[in-house]
Amino acid sequence: MLKTTLVATTTLLALTQFASASSDSAWNALFAKANGTCIGQSRMVSPEATAPVVFDDSTGKVAILLREKSGKSKKLVNLICLYDKKSGKASIAEYQWLGQ
């Protein structure tokens, strides 16, 4: 009886882990949506974007860094975008490297 319970519990835990894992296509869809939202809200014409940085589930955010040389001055503009996975909304702020 104990052996059967142990095997059943181990099997259930193993299956639960696989059920909660997201597929590659789900991650790619999330990243595409985050990139599109962030780039759209940035109003940049042709920005360079980093790969998305995924925070843990308690935060529920994906961060993307964007940069582009703007206008006639060709000044480099750096933006950070935090995309909320639940709401689909993004917050954008400009940032500068320390010492620059």
Side-chain angles (χ1 to χ4, degrees):
M1 179 72 177
L2 181 60
K3 188 175 181 180
T4 305
T5 304
L6 181 61
V7 170
T9 303
T10 304
T11 303
L12 183 60
L13 288 173
L15 292 175
T16 302
Q17 182 180 14
F18 290 117
S20 65
S22 295
S23 67
D24 285 342
S25 62
W27 282 111
N28 290 337
L30 170 65
F31 296 158
K33 189 171 182 182
N35 276 334
T37 302
C38 289
I39 290 171
Q41 285 189 6
S42 74
R43 297 191 177 141
M44 292 179 157
V45 177
S46 56
E48 291 180 73
T50 63
V53 179
V54 180
F55 289 86
D56 63 34
D57 287 339
S58 66
T59 305
K61 306 281 188 215
V62 174
I64 299 173
L65 301 177
L66 304 168
R67 70 179 178 186
E68 180 179 66
K69 289 186 178 176
S70 69
K72 295 176 184 177
S73 67
K74 298 295 182 187
K75 176 187 170 199
L76 189 62
V77 176
N78 298 300
L79 300 178
I80 185 169
C81 176
L82 289 178
Y83 177 81
D84 187 285
K85 293 188 289 187
K86 289 183 183 176
S87 70
K89 295 181 180 179
S91 299
I92 296 178
E94 187 172 355
Y95 73 93
Q96 293 181 349
W97 289 97
L98 295 175
Q100 292 182 357

